[in-house]
């Protein structure tokens, strides 16, 4: 599968609310994939992630402009402040 939007092979991709693994690696086959979830247990089984971070997806644990791409499959409906989360994600992306 080819990347849908752009080539992120040289960047950092965050898979938010990743649980034990999702389609982020299929969408972005290159790059450094960081799985971020609230719990360590599901992250331990995410074999395709290069890095794993226990954290809150509404306040990403990264510097502004440090992510090349963000994947968040089926998570917006679970967030109380989805607009606030989207704003935080935008700040985390490379301009």
């Amino acid at each position: 599968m080819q990347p849908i939007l752009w080539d992120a092979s040289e960047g950092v991709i965050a898979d938010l609310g990743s649980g034990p693994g999702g389609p982020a690696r299929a969408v972005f086959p290159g790059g450094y994939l960081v799985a971020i979830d609230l719990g360590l247990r599901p992250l331990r089984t995410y074999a395709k992630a290069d890095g794993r971070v226990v954290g809150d997806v509404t306040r990403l644990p990264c510097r502004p402009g440090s992510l090349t791409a963000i994947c968040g499959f089926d998570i917006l409906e679970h967030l109380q402040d989805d607009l606030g989360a989207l704003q935080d994600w935008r700040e985390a992306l490379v301009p």
Side-chain angles (χ1 to χ4, degrees), residues 26-95:
V27 176
F28 295 103
Y32 188 86
L33 181 64
V34 178
I36 303 174
D37 204 301
L38 283 174
L40 181 59
R41 180 174 285 172
L43 290 174
R44 285 184 178 151
T45 60
Y46 196 162
K48 294 181 181 180
D50 299 306
R52 293 158 188 81
V53 176
V54 174
D56 184 351
V57 300
T58 63
R59 293 183 306 251
L60 294 180
C62 61
R63 293 185 313 272
S66 62
L67 299 176
T68 307
I70 294 175
C71 296
F73 298 99
D74 301 319
I75 64 168
L76 280 177
E77 67 274 17
H78 300 287
L79 305 178
Q80 286 186 342
D81 183 13
D82 52 358
L83 182 58
L86 288 170
Q87 290 170 336
D88 185 67
W89 301 352
R90 183 174 182 259
E91 290 176 14
L93 288 169
V94 172

